[in-house]
Amino acid sequence: MAVLLASILPPDISLVVIEDEQNSDIEPAGHAITIDCESIFHKMIGLSDLELILSCDGNLSLGTQFSGWQGDESHFLSAPSGKLPGINGVAFHHIVLRAAMARGEPEKLPEIFSSFRFAAQAASAGKLTHGSSDPQSPRTMLRPRMSLDAGLYTRLLKEKALAAMTFEHHQAQITGIKTAHDSDHIRQVVLSSGQQLEANLFVDVSGALASKSSDDHSVSILPFDRMISGQSQRSDKDYHPVPIARALSDEVVFETALRNSDCKTLVYDSTRLNDQQARARFGDQGASLLLSHLSQHRILKPWSANIVRAGLAAGSLGPHLSADIRLLHQQAITLSGLIPISENMNVEADEYNRLNAIAFDQLRDFYLLPFVLNKRPDDLWKKMRDVDLPESMQIRLAQFESRGRFVTFDGEAFEEQEWVDMMIGFGRIPGRHDPMAQTIDMAQVGQSLGRMVDAFKQTIDAMPTHRAYMDQLVTVATKDQQSGNSTS
């Protein structure tokens, strides 16, 4: 947050940063975060993907492997991609659904559809490259994501912010708050050093200014309330092509391979597992393990009076999708667009709160999707299938199951194709296809689809392996860094 504000504030607005090293506004060390390549946030602060890879033990991937979510031996690879081309205005999955229904085997839709998921096939084959600008190439469908060491990422952002030297920096704790008379407006904060600082606007990313809020709204749908994480070095420098989300009877384990190390996070229900049992299931990470509380909640009005809450102070979803860091990035971008401000901040506050609610709800829905679509037989997982879902998710699932329609809302955070792929991959078969699919000559389409599958195979065969491509990227980035050039 600070690094972006420092880069965009006009000269007549001063920024003061109070850093409490005992608290962190993103995941602690031992975690990995996975975010989109070429993110808007990183572009705004002048950080390239290659610089992030070099500085944060970064690794690219084309998707996430969901293991055990439909039974112990099940596997589904979720891979973001461009939208599959429709025919005569008919969405691609409706054409495949018609073919499956014509064969009297609608339940085979996931299997048939998987042949046309280019990014997932490339990831499964252990291949990797960036997308292509050539509209004729299947590589236009690739959307690599970047996994980073969260501790190194935090350090890099701090170093970048301090290097700019455009703000006043204090390392201290806030020990007191002074508000204006008969108002919620904060006038001053008192630091552990004894200093008293005044400001017109306060941005809270740790909860130090508003640890308790009357509009803190729980959105807990999942039963997990504890989290344990750890990191280990990898001597052979071999790594998984994609992160893994592994569903087990009482817990979920997220495994992310960075370039030179492995990160693992286990989330669990403390009424079913105590911390000692969770440590035992985690493995032999020993003293490096970090235990923390996990909750799903958000502040309904994160900007009130002259306090803007962001990061964990505004809400949390959890480690899946690196949702909390995604929200923090979006909050920083939103706030940067609302400054400069006047002393009357009501309009800006309302807009920030509106956009934050949209971003949170969009992330929440996709976050919940694999949990509510699971097919595990365990009691814990059965209960997740029966939870009361947000209205937006109810609409999406009902419309897709009924007629294969994907319903969109404002501020979509994930591409329609990624939603469709996961719903089909997790076994949600629409009850009927688009009636317009009946107008399509399936014999002719079948030939086109065959050529598409062949083109996918040829392209994947020609792609470099995951390890070879990462080595190539690191070599280029290192040479640029040593020659003094900026990486891009």
XYZ file of all heavy atoms in Angstrom, residues 341-374:
285
model
N -7.988 14.306 -2.095
C -9.338 14.404 -1.564
C -9.519 15.725 -0.835
O -8.558 16.369 -0.437
C -9.631 13.241 -0.594
C -8.568 13.215 0.501
C -9.690 11.910 -1.312
C -8.804 12.174 1.565
N -10.763 16.100 -0.653
C -11.073 17.299 0.126
C -11.287 16.898 1.571
O -11.263 15.716 1.925
C -12.330 17.971 -0.434
O -13.437 17.089 -0.301
N -11.501 17.877 2.439
C -11.734 17.561 3.845
C -13.029 16.785 4.021
O -13.162 15.971 4.935
C -11.772 18.849 4.677
C -10.405 19.516 4.804
C -10.429 20.662 5.786
O -11.437 20.789 6.529
O -9.455 21.433 5.829
N -13.993 17.019 3.160
C -15.215 16.221 3.181
C -14.992 14.986 2.306
O -14.918 15.076 1.091
C -16.394 17.038 2.638
C -17.708 16.287 2.740
O -17.734 15.059 2.873
N -18.808 17.018 2.690
N -14.870 13.846 2.958
C -14.462 12.625 2.261
C -15.615 11.672 1.997
O -15.388 10.513 1.645
C -13.393 11.894 3.091
C -12.213 12.748 3.474
S -11.083 11.856 4.588
C -9.987 13.195 5.063
N -16.842 12.118 2.144
C -17.978 11.205 2.055
C -18.105 10.542 0.690
O -18.383 9.337 0.593
C -19.272 11.952 2.392
C -19.326 12.383 3.848
O -18.662 11.786 4.694
N -20.096 13.423 4.141
N -17.925 11.316 -0.386
C -18.071 10.759 -1.725
C -16.988 9.713 -1.984
O -17.267 8.614 -2.483
C -17.994 11.876 -2.786
C -17.967 11.279 -4.192
C -19.187 12.815 -2.635
N -15.735 10.058 -1.627
C -14.632 9.120 -1.828
C -14.822 7.864 -0.981
O -14.550 6.744 -1.442
C -13.303 9.785 -1.475
C -12.861 10.867 -2.441
C -13.439 12.231 -2.100
O -14.284 12.311 -1.182
O -13.035 13.216 -2.748
N -15.284 8.043 0.239
C -15.493 6.899 1.126
C -16.561 5.961 0.574
O -16.389 4.736 0.579
C -15.886 7.381 2.520
N -17.641 6.526 0.090
C -18.721 5.694 -0.465
C -18.229 4.890 -1.670
O -18.578 3.707 -1.819
C -19.909 6.568 -0.886
C -20.680 7.109 0.311
O -20.489 6.598 1.432
O -21.484 8.046 0.110
N -17.423 5.520 -2.528
C -16.920 4.818 -3.716
C -15.926 3.728 -3.328
O -15.953 2.621 -3.882
C -16.268 5.819 -4.678
C -15.750 5.206 -5.973
C -16.850 4.645 -6.868
O -18.039 4.719 -6.502
O -16.501 4.130 -7.950
N -15.052 4.024 -2.392
C -14.092 3.014 -1.926
C -14.831 1.819 -1.333
O -14.513 0.663 -1.637
C -13.167 3.639 -0.879
C -12.117 2.685 -0.313
C -10.880 2.523 -0.931
C -12.367 1.964 0.854
C -9.917 1.663 -0.414
C -11.418 1.096 1.383
C -10.193 0.964 0.747
O -9.250 0.102 1.266
N -15.833 2.089 -0.508
C -16.593 1.011 0.119
C -17.352 0.179 -0.914
O -17.429 -1.050 -0.812
C -17.565 1.582 1.148
C -16.853 2.219 2.324
O -15.682 1.918 2.589
N -17.531 3.110 3.036
N -17.898 0.852 -1.924
C -18.641 0.148 -2.973
C -17.718 -0.775 -3.760
O -18.023 -1.960 -3.971
C -19.299 1.160 -3.911
C -20.175 0.523 -4.996
C -20.723 1.584 -5.952
N -19.697 2.104 -6.834
C -19.327 1.529 -7.985
N -19.906 0.399 -8.385
N -18.396 2.060 -8.738
N -16.577 -0.239 -4.189
C -15.650 -1.038 -4.988
C -15.008 -2.150 -4.169
O -14.752 -3.248 -4.687
C -14.568 -0.133 -5.591
C -15.068 0.884 -6.625
C -13.945 1.799 -7.073
C -15.676 0.168 -7.824
N -14.770 -1.891 -2.896
C -14.194 -2.936 -2.044
C -15.173 -4.090 -1.861
O -14.782 -5.264 -1.874
C -13.809 -2.359 -0.681
C -13.107 -3.378 0.195
O -11.963 -3.764 -0.047
N -13.801 -3.844 1.225
N -16.454 -3.776 -1.717
C -17.470 -4.823 -1.568
C -17.539 -5.690 -2.824
O -17.646 -6.920 -2.744
C -18.830 -4.197 -1.273
N -17.475 -5.053 -4.005
C -17.505 -5.803 -5.257
C -16.292 -6.725 -5.358
O -16.419 -7.914 -5.681
C -17.549 -4.841 -6.456
C -18.910 -4.131 -6.525
C -17.278 -5.581 -7.764
C -18.985 -3.049 -7.582
N -15.091 -6.182 -5.083
C -13.874 -6.987 -5.193
C -13.905 -8.157 -4.221
O -13.526 -9.285 -4.570
C -12.651 -6.104 -4.924
N -14.379 -7.905 -3.003
C -14.432 -8.974 -2.004
C -15.407 -10.064 -2.422
O -15.088 -11.261 -2.367
C -14.840 -8.391 -0.650
C -14.755 -9.385 0.483
C -13.613 -9.469 1.271
C -15.807 -10.249 0.754
C -13.526 -10.392 2.302
C -15.734 -11.179 1.777
C -14.589 -11.242 2.558
N -16.589 -9.665 -2.857
C -17.611 -10.654 -3.227
C -17.175 -11.495 -4.422
O -17.436 -12.702 -4.479
C -18.933 -9.951 -3.533
C -19.597 -9.393 -2.275
O -19.145 -9.718 -1.166
O -20.568 -8.623 -2.413
N -16.508 -10.866 -5.388
C -16.042 -11.611 -6.562
C -15.001 -12.656 -6.167
O -15.068 -13.814 -6.608
C -15.453 -10.646 -7.588
C -16.481 -9.826 -8.333
C -17.225 -10.663 -9.367
O -16.818 -11.765 -9.699
N -18.329 -10.146 -9.867
N -14.064 -12.254 -5.344
C -13.048 -13.194 -4.886
C -13.660 -14.291 -4.024
O -13.319 -15.472 -4.157
C -11.977 -12.447 -4.085
C -10.710 -12.049 -4.835
C -9.819 -11.192 -3.959
C -9.938 -13.268 -5.312
N -14.570 -13.904 -3.148
C -15.219 -14.874 -2.253
C -15.923 -15.966 -3.048
O -15.796 -17.154 -2.744
C -16.236 -14.150 -1.366
C -17.071 -15.057 -0.464
C -18.392 -14.400 -0.132
N -19.186 -14.151 -1.333
C -20.151 -13.243 -1.421
N -20.436 -12.492 -0.374
N -20.818 -13.087 -2.553
N -16.658 -15.600 -4.087
C -17.428 -16.584 -4.852
C -16.517 -17.608 -5.525
O -16.764 -18.814 -5.465
C -18.301 -15.886 -5.896
C -19.523 -15.225 -5.279
O -19.648 -15.245 -4.045
O -20.345 -14.679 -6.044
N -15.460 -17.134 -6.192
C -14.571 -18.079 -6.861
C -13.756 -18.875 -5.849
O -13.425 -20.050 -6.074
C -13.647 -17.354 -7.839
C -13.004 -18.262 -8.844
C -13.739 -18.786 -9.891
C -11.669 -18.614 -8.732
C -13.158 -19.646 -10.813
C -11.079 -19.468 -9.648
C -11.830 -19.987 -10.688
N -13.436 -18.244 -4.726
C -12.732 -18.913 -3.627
C -13.538 -20.116 -3.131
O -13.000 -21.204 -2.902
C -12.546 -17.900 -2.494
C -11.653 -18.324 -1.346
C -10.370 -17.791 -1.224
C -12.078 -19.208 -0.373
C -9.549 -18.139 -0.175
C -11.260 -19.576 0.687
C -9.994 -19.030 0.779
O -9.173 -19.392 1.828
N -14.850 -19.916 -2.987
C -15.703 -20.969 -2.436
C -16.017 -22.084 -3.428
O -16.362 -23.202 -3.030
C -17.027 -20.353 -1.959
C -16.982 -19.421 -0.761
C -18.362 -18.822 -0.509
C -16.509 -20.161 0.483
N -15.908 -21.787 -4.728
C -16.400 -22.704 -5.753
C -15.924 -24.148 -5.580
O -16.757 -25.071 -5.530
C -16.040 -22.171 -7.138
C -16.653 -22.922 -8.326
C -18.173 -22.861 -8.280
C -16.131 -22.353 -9.643
N -14.623 -24.435 -5.490
C -14.224 -25.846 -5.373
C -14.681 -26.490 -4.075
O -14.922 -27.697 -4.033
C -12.694 -25.787 -5.460
C -12.330 -24.403 -5.046
C -13.455 -23.537 -5.518
N -14.822 -25.691 -3.017
C -15.256 -26.252 -1.736
C -16.708 -26.729 -1.804
O -17.036 -27.807 -1.326
C -15.092 -25.217 -0.624
C -13.663 -24.900 -0.280
C -13.005 -23.838 -0.883
C -12.972 -25.664 0.648
C -11.684 -23.544 -0.581
C -11.651 -25.382 0.967
C -11.006 -24.315 0.349
N -17.566 -25.929 -2.426
C -18.987 -26.302 -2.460
C -19.284 -27.319 -3.561
O -20.327 -27.967 -3.533
C -19.886 -25.057 -2.615
C -19.672 -24.092 -1.465
C -19.656 -24.357 -3.944
N -18.362 -27.477 -4.520
C -18.551 -28.464 -5.578
C -17.873 -29.796 -5.259
O -17.936 -30.731 -6.057
C -18.001 -27.944 -6.912
C -18.689 -26.731 -7.539
C -18.071 -26.430 -8.897
C -20.190 -26.942 -7.673
N -17.236 -29.893 -4.101
C -16.489 -31.103 -3.773
C -17.409 -32.324 -3.734
O -18.617 -32.212 -3.530
C -15.776 -30.936 -2.424
C -16.647 -31.340 -1.243
O -16.720 -32.519 -0.883
N -17.321 -30.364 -0.637
